[in-house]
Amino acid sequence: MHNTVQAHVVMHLVVSDELSFRILVDLEYDAEDPYAVAFTFHLPGDAPVTWVFARELLVDGISRPTGEGDVHIHPVGEELGEVAIVLHSPEGDARMRAGVPPLIAFLARTDRVVPMGQETIGVELDTQLASILAAPGRENAG
């Protein structure tokens, strides 16, 4: 069974403390890659840009600073009504701000498809299949 969850949210691309732009962002979750969420940013005048990162990173970033490497997420202020998403790339950094309610609604829908903590069921099947296919004598099969 192939299940995906999609949502469209408006985020703010933060240029400076005084300047930000509203942009449309498509969120997608695919049960075939149960640990990941994809964010596709629609920037004016540019091709859409997609970033894929851990669903758990998004969950944790709503309530506390989290992230290593290219993606960092942290709450903004003490009300937990907004999060900052910072993306690091060789071309530069992008700072986004997003309201928490649409992110929580998206995550709740992903949890109905693959509950948090149960992602490994599919991964275990993939591992077992890879093990079977890698068994001695299978190299020249086919």
Side-chain angles (χ1 to χ4, degrees):
M1 182 156 84
H2 183 74
N3 289 309
T4 62
V5 174
Q6 297 176 332
H8 307 285
V9 299
V10 174
M11 293 187 183
H12 292 269
L13 172 60
V14 179
V15 178
S16 69
D17 290 340
E18 297 84 26
L19 181 62
S20 66
F21 297 96
R22 293 169 48 111
I23 62 169
L24 179 63
V25 181
D26 296 327
L27 311 181
E28 185 171 4
Y29 176 80
D30 188 334
E32 289 190 14
D33 188 3
Y35 290 104
V37 293
F39 280 43
T40 300
F41 301 94
H42 298 274
L43 304 169
D46 286 329
V49 176
T50 300
W51 282 68
V52 178
F53 51 90
R55 174 171 63 157
E56 187 174 4
L57 181 70
L58 182 59
V59 169
D60 292 346
I62 288 173
S63 60
R64 63 180 173 83
T66 190
E68 296 178 12
D70 295 339
V71 180
H72 296 258
I73 303 173
H74 62 86
V76 175
E78 295 183 23
E79 299 296 318
L80 300 180
E82 190 175 43
V83 294
I85 300 171
V86 181
L87 308 172
H88 302 285
S89 78
E91 291 80 31
D93 296 346
R95 294 184 321 167
M96 309 286 174
R97 284 196 173 194
V100 168
L103 298 178
I104 289 175
F106 171 74
L107 289 167
R109 291 174 51 216
T110 70
D111 195 59
R112 287 193 289 273
V113 173
V114 178
M116 290 291 290
Q118 294 186 11
E119 298 92 347
T120 58
I121 293 169
V123 173
E124 288 171 1
L125 290 174
D126 289 343
T127 302
Q128 288 175 357
L129 179 60
S131 175
I132 291 168
L133 294 175
R138 299 284 301 170
E139 299 84 33
N140 297 324

